[in-house]
Amino acid sequence: MSDEKNPTVETSNEEYGSSNITVLEGLEAVRKRPGMYIGDVHDGSALHHLVWEVIDNSVDEHLAGHCSEVSIVINHDGSVSVSDNGRGIPVGMHDKGISAVEVVMTVLHAGGKFDHSSYKVSAGLHGVGVSAVNAVSEWLKVEVQREGYVHRQSFARGVPQERLHQDEETSATGTKISFKPDPEIFSSTEYSYKTFATQLRELALLNSGLKIHLADEREEGTSETFLYEGGIKEFVAQISAAKEPIHEEVIAFETSIPFGEGMADVVVDLAIQWCSSFAEQIFCYTNNVHNKDGGTHLTGLKTALTRTLNSYGQASGLLKNEKIALSGDDCREGVVCVIHVKHPDASFDSQTKSKLVSSEVKGIVDTAVTEHVGRYFEEHPQTAKKIIEKSLVAAKAREAARKAREVVRKGVMDKTALTGKLADCQSKDPTISEIYIVEGDSAGGSAKQGRDRHFQAILPLRGKILNVERARLDRMLASDAVATLISALGCGITEKGTFDLSKVRYHKIILMTDADVDGSHIRTLLLTFFYRQMPELLEKGYLYIAQPPLFGVRKGKKIRYIKDQMNLNEFLIENGIDGLNVKSSSGMELSGQPLYHLAGRLRTVDDHLNRLDRRCDRRIIAAAVRDVGIRMETFDNPESVEEAKDKLRDVLVAKYPDLQPLTVETESDEVDGLHLAVQFRPGATTKPGRLTREICSTGEYFELVSIEDDIDSIGTTPYTLTPNKGDVVEVDNATELDDYISERGRRGLDIGRYKGLGEMNADQLWETTMNPDARTLLKVEVNDPVRAEELFSILMGDQVEPRRKFIEDNALNVQNLDI
């Protein structure tokens, strides 16, 4: 027999032995396999999970009664700082021969209160603690206030750069951890403010008394504070205030029910209030996680409410002479409710935990709600009577709407409902079909002519549709525009259970309105309709907003369409710096991409100054940034403030002799500490003249400082401007450079603004807005359902005061005002 081996099998002379076994020391395992510890490093989930690992320690301190405030700051460089006023990480020496802080930061699963084993319930986090955050961070700095001193230590990619050292004295306690995610680990290190805001709001909601401050120090300079002293009861009260509650007190209870031997109890926490509105809003949570699709706790709640209201109505005689029974929808009309179940062994339908499927929870919630709401009704008969009467009105309206609802049930086969309105497409395949909901007959005509008939349908709507936030079903279906829209889509509506997603005729529903105030209003009314009556379309990603161009720029025979003012500015800058060379008197030259970057930043100076002008006169801001060099740190001590005061007075007097500032004072108060107060002569200006550390810490002020640094980097003035065509020009400062580039960018161009879609020809509308190969569509998504509910109630509801307050609170932040 031949000893020849199988030629298809490759062999190796290397042996597999003990030397092939690799031992990953310390945090090296986390860096080698980050997905095992923190999740997917490519889709952004792991990136944001780092912050939750740090925040969890602060929440744990709060639950233990030692922490009342947590602050999360997204810093200018993309790093994040999380600080709290808890007890602080222990700073004493550990048995390992290093400080307890270093142990916590460098050893997986180390610590007492710092790991996740102390939680009675778990949201399903990985539970590896802040040491995993340290491992995947380019750098991490920890600052502990404890035992009368501030203690600091820094790390790089998990490796200590120094030992924990004791610095200045302090009477405060707490921990601050700052870190920057390592770009070697993550595909993107760009944090989403909205993601933080959504989850932190829920965290504050579910942890009463915990004050959470979120700030974004990047370009926008946004910040919010979340605090619910009364927990979910206060939250429900806030939402209801924008809707006019029919009973003053929020019905709330928290109860514990035994789950099993050796297991923690199941806790049911509920707050509910009935309002005069018609929409039902129920937020479901399990173990601090939002369940957007509800689950067994929602089923138990609905069953209990229907039975309790009918039982009490019959027993009290309120329903004795009524011929109709209250349905579940009748009982829940106008309800605002939050239910939070804390379960030691919860089961969900998927990894996203969008739906609770623990079967025992249905009975637990049913029993708890029946007992506590029933007892509340017995103890508060006047409140119970108002709720029963509200449900009775809903039941009678349901009967009155039965005939109107037939319009919905007839669906798209009812040609009489759509004649002359819907220009349908030829395709019957919803996956490729799309419908444009267009404002007005004029735009509808252009859209019908310009479309691709095979897969594009057009539905023109005349005027503004009904605001469904303020209308019950019978009135809504009586609206011709709403009925036509429902019939055209073919899937029915969520209210009263007629919605069927499988029957929707188009998988792209595109709102196409004019780029003016009326167009925005119509779009908002349509969004309100879809959010309230067909929310599943948003969840499936079927709803879009068209992005027609606002400008047409013509040069000779060529025309270029531009989406909005920001894109127009970018185009004009690009055109203005084309072939231009800038040389400073010190010899530095600038052209191409570096010049484009500088010109773009110069163009934003006015925007930043205008935003800050509402808080402090823009002339003071400009002088503080450019001439005096006032920064956030200036306000750290009285000496630097006094020095800045003298310089600022001299600059203002020299620059604005007509204003003649009377005084520039150093003042202080308990809230802001030291600040500068500039007072001009009477009548010279009505703008505020109070420059504080808070203003100097805003994103706008930081950007102005950064732009000033860019200007300084190109050398001293004057600048010599040499275009590829034309005369050489000399300018004295950056403002004149900006003016020159702006004027040069517009030279030879004819810029037209489209006020409405009807101004476009059919071929223009197709080319810019409807051609799938060239158009841009904006997908409508609900990333923060709690905030969305609040805003729809405030802005579209029938209560004036919440809307007035919203306008007053946000007036200084408005950027585009059409008067």
Side-chain angles (χ1 to χ4, degrees):
M1 290 182 63
S2 171
D3 196 33
E4 184 180 2
K5 295 181 179 179
N6 189 333
T8 61
V9 178
E10 295 185 5
T11 62
S12 172
N13 293 325
E14 296 182 10
E15 292 185 1
Y16 175 62
S18 59
S19 61
N20 297 104
I21 304 300
T22 301
V23 177
L24 299 177
E25 298 290 343
L27 299 179
E28 195 178 346
V30 184
R31 292 187 61 81
K32 196 75 174 177
R33 296 286 185 270
M36 293 174 58
Y37 296 89
I38 58 172
D40 194 333
V41 296
H42 302 294
D43 65 359
S45 59
L47 182 70
H48 291 82
H49 177 73
L50 299 183
V51 180
W52 304 127
E53 284 287 3
V54 181
I55 292 173
D56 280 340
N57 294 332
S58 301
V59 175
D60 209 9
E61 278 287 87
H62 170 73
L63 294 174
H66 302 289
C67 172
S68 60
E69 292 187 23
V70 181
S71 175
I72 299 91
V73 180
I74 309 174
N75 299 307
H76 301 297
D77 60 355
S79 65
V80 175
S81 298
V82 179
S83 58
D84 65 47
N85 63 347
R87 289 171 290 184
I89 304 174
V91 295
M93 293 300 291
H94 194 269
D95 293 342
K96 290 180 174 287
I98 55 177
S99 69
V101 171
E102 189 169 330
V103 172
V104 169
M105 293 294 163
T106 58
V107 180
L108 289 173
H109 311 292
K113 80 180 187 65
F114 305 104
D115 67 8
H116 291 247
S117 62
S118 58
Y119 287 122
K120 291 182 180 179
V121 294
S122 171
L125 301 178
H126 298 277
V128 292
V130 73
S131 55
V133 179
N134 191 14
V136 295
S137 295
E138 182 180 343
W139 56 260
L140 181 145
K141 298 176 182 177
V142 58
E143 182 179 298
V144 179
Q145 296 176 317
R146 187 181 171 103
E147 299 174 8
Y149 293 92
V150 178
H151 308 263
R152 294 185 174 91
Q153 188 171 9
S154 60
F155 303 82
R157 296 184 168 90
V159 179
Q161 301 300 293
E162 58 186 345
R163 292 302 180 191
L164 183 71
H165 54 276
Q166 178 179 296
D167 290 335
E168 68 268 21
E169 294 183 1
T170 180
S171 59
T173 61
T175 303
K176 178 179 180 180
I177 294 176
S178 302
F179 65 92
K180 187 173 184 181
D182 192 347
E184 294 179 5
I185 302 290
F186 299 93
S187 299
S188 170
T189 57
E190 186 74 17
Y191 277 107
S192 165
Y193 179 88
K194 287 184 178 179
T195 299
F196 283 146
T198 300
Q199 297 196 37
L200 290 174
R201 182 182 295 109
E202 293 179 355
L203 200 60
L205 161 67
L206 300 172
N207 292 275
S208 60
L210 179 61
K211 184 177 183 179
I212 303 177
H213 181 69
L214 172 64
D216 188 346
E217 295 298 341
R218 295 172 297 186
E219 289 189 16
E220 293 301 318
T222 312
S223 66
E224 289 178 84
T225 299
F226 309 107
L227 173 63
Y228 297 95
E229 291 285 3
I232 63 174
K233 183 176 182 180
E234 181 185 342
F235 175 69
V236 167
Q238 286 185 9
I239 296 181
S240 300
K243 295 173 173 289
E244 189 182 3
I246 64 171
H247 55 99
E248 184 176 344
E249 185 181 21
V250 176
I251 303 171
F253 68 85
E254 182 176 356
T255 185
S256 299
I257 298 176
F259 176 57
E261 188 175 349
M263 300 286 286
D265 292 349
V266 174
V267 178
V268 179
D269 191 8
L270 180 132
I272 187 169
Q273 191 166 30
W274 276 262
C275 302
S276 60
S277 59
F278 313 114
E280 165 193 325
Q281 299 174 31
I282 302 178
F283 304 101
C284 301
Y285 296 88
T286 305
N287 298 346
N288 287 333
V289 175
H290 180 224
N291 314 121
K292 67 182 182 67
D293 295 328
T296 50
H297 46 355
L298 179 60
T299 304
L301 171 66
K302 288 182 175 180
T303 302
L305 287 179
T306 305
R307 184 174 59 251
T308 301
L309 263 68
N310 275 290
S311 298
Y312 183 85
Q314 293 293 341
S316 63
L318 294 172
L319 297 178
K320 185 176 181 181
N321 298 322
E322 301 296 338
K323 297 180 180 180
I324 54 176
L326 301 179
S327 70
D329 289 323
D330 301 330
C331 295
R332 297 190 306 274
E333 184 182 88
V335 154
V336 177
C337 177
V338 176
I339 181 169
H340 183 204
V341 173
K342 300 171 186 176
H343 196 297
D345 188 25
S347 298
F348 302 93
D349 66 330
S350 66
Q351 193 63 31
T352 59
K353 300 177 177 60
S354 59
K355 187 174 184 179
L356 177 67
V357 296
S358 300
S359 57
E360 69 281 354
V361 172
K362 177 180 181 296
I364 289 173
V365 171
D366 188 338
T367 302
V369 173
T370 300
E371 177 186 345
H372 288 84
V373 174
R375 183 190 306 151
Y376 186 92
F377 283 2
E378 294 291 344
E379 295 172 354
H380 301 82
Q382 291 303 314
T383 297
K385 181 180 179 182
K386 291 177 182 178
I387 294 170
I388 297 294
E389 289 175 347
K390 158 80 173 173
S391 301
L392 259 177
V393 172
K396 293 175 180 177
R398 169 168 51 86
E399 288 298 306
R402 184 169 52 83
K403 292 183 180 180
R405 198 161 61 248
E406 289 301 314
V407 175
V408 179
R409 290 177 177 163
K410 288 178 182 179
V412 296
M413 300 307 295
D414 184 0
K415 300 297 182 184
T416 60
L418 300 175
T419 303
K421 297 175 182 178
L422 174 69
D424 207 354
C425 58
Q426 297 167 354
S427 172
K428 302 304 177 186
D429 181 359
T431 61
I432 66 169
S433 301
E434 53 189 48
I435 183 171
Y436 279 84
I437 300 173
V438 184
E439 173 189 353
D441 291 334
S442 176
S446 296
K448 288 176 183 178
Q449 294 174 34
R451 66 175 173 144
D452 185 326
R453 295 173 181 268
H454 174 62
F455 66 95
Q456 290 180 325
I458 308 296
L459 178 65
L461 294 178
R462 291 184 181 178
K464 297 174 180 176
I465 74 164
L466 182 71
N467 179 5
V468 300
E469 187 75 10
R470 306 182 192 177
R472 193 178 266 115
L473 180 65
D474 54 342
R475 184 174 166 225
M476 183 182 76
L477 294 180
S479 166
D480 182 62
V482 172
T484 300
L485 180 56
I486 296 171
S487 297
L489 297 178
C491 56
I493 55 175
T494 296
E495 192 169 346
K496 308 306 178 189
T498 63
F499 182 85
D500 186 349
L501 185 65
S502 65
K503 293 182 180 179
V504 68
R505 301 180 64 236
Y506 314 92
H507 282 190
K508 270 195 173 69
I509 302 164
I510 304 167
L511 311 183
M512 189 162 68
T513 59
D514 293 343
D516 57 13
V517 172
D518 282 340
S520 297
H521 190 200
I522 292 170
R523 184 168 63 246
T524 302
L525 291 168
L526 286 167
L527 288 172
T528 304
F529 168 77
F530 282 109
Y531 180 73
R532 288 298 185 209
Q533 299 300 331
M534 300 181 183
E536 288 89 343
L537 296 182
L538 279 71
E539 293 173 9
K540 284 292 184 180
Y542 291 173
L543 187 62
Y544 296 83
I545 296 174
Q547 302 288 283
L550 195 58
F551 298 98
V553 179
R554 187 181 297 277
K555 188 173 184 178
K557 294 183 179 180
K558 293 183 178 180
I559 185 170
R560 176 170 175 173
Y561 298 102
I562 296 178
K563 176 187 169 186
D564 53 26
Q565 187 66 52
M566 185 180 74
N567 290 96
L568 177 63
N569 289 341
E570 291 174 354
F571 172 76
L572 294 177
I573 291 171
E574 188 178 324
N575 200 46
I577 63 106
D578 185 31
L580 180 65
N581 179 272
V582 177
K583 184 176 182 180
S584 69
S585 59
S586 55
M588 177 75 74
E589 293 191 33
L590 212 60
S591 62
Q593 188 61 35
L595 180 57
Y596 175 83
H597 174 75
L598 177 64
R601 303 201 76 192
L602 290 176
R603 193 60 51 85
T604 67
V605 168
D606 258 359
D607 292 337
H608 295 315
L609 287 174
N610 285 337
R611 289 186 188 181
L612 291 172
D613 189 49
R614 300 157 184 164
R615 303 174 67 176
C616 180
D617 192 297
R618 59 177 287 157
R619 290 165 293 195
I620 299 172
I621 298 289
V625 172
R626 295 171 183 168
D627 304 299
V628 185
I630 294 177
R631 303 293 184 264
M632 193 169 51
E633 299 78 21
T634 303
F635 298 90
D636 283 345
N637 59 76
E639 292 78 13
S640 59
V641 175
E642 283 298 312
E643 184 180 347
K645 178 191 73 173
D646 295 335
K647 289 182 180 178
L648 186 60
R649 180 192 295 111
D650 294 342
V651 170
L652 291 174
V653 169
K655 280 196 167 187
Y656 309 111
D658 56 317
L659 295 180
Q660 276 301 321
L662 297 177
T663 55
V664 178
E665 297 294 339
T666 304
E667 297 183 358
S668 65
D669 56 44
E670 293 181 1
V671 178
D672 290 326
L674 289 166
H675 62 265
L676 296 171
V678 180
Q679 183 180 4
F680 292 103
R681 63 175 172 76
T685 179
T686 58
K687 299 292 182 182
R690 192 165 179 266
L691 183 64
T692 66
R693 179 186 181 127
E694 181 187 2
I695 292 175
C696 294
S697 67
T698 60
E700 292 89 349
Y701 196 94
F702 179 83
E703 279 299 296
L704 290 172
V705 170
S706 180
I707 292 168
E708 197 63 27
D709 292 341
D710 278 357
I711 295 170
D712 291 341
S713 68
I714 67 174
T716 55
T717 55
Y719 306 131
T720 302
L721 314 183
T722 308
N724 54 356
K725 295 179 182 178
D727 299 329
V728 175
V729 178
E730 191 173 273
V731 297
D732 292 329
N733 52 53
T735 303
E736 291 183 10
L737 172 62
D738 181 36
D739 292 341
Y740 176 86
I741 293 174
S742 178
E743 188 276 328
R744 187 170 185 261
R746 291 177 174 273
R747 201 176 298 162
L749 301 180
D750 181 16
I751 303 174
R753 188 179 191 277
Y754 298 109
K755 295 181 180 179
L757 296 169
E759 295 182 8
M760 289 189 182
N761 298 326
D763 58 337
Q764 290 178 315
L765 199 56
W766 165 258
E767 183 182 346
T768 62
T769 314
M770 302 182 70
N771 181 359
D773 296 328
R775 72 188 178 190
T776 299
L777 296 178
L778 187 64
K779 182 184 282 189
V780 179
E781 297 177 328
V782 180
N783 295 319
D784 187 347
V786 175
R787 183 61 175 157
E789 288 286 355
E790 283 185 288
L791 284 177
F792 273 109
S793 299
I794 291 171
L795 301 180
M796 306 305 291
D798 54 7
Q799 294 300 297
V800 176
E801 280 308 313
R803 190 154 47 250
R804 186 201 309 275
K805 185 178 186 306
F806 178 88
I807 293 171
E808 290 173 350
D809 291 345
N810 292 277
L812 295 181
N813 298 323
V814 69
Q815 296 182 36
N816 300 304
L817 184 61
D818 193 335
I819 300 178

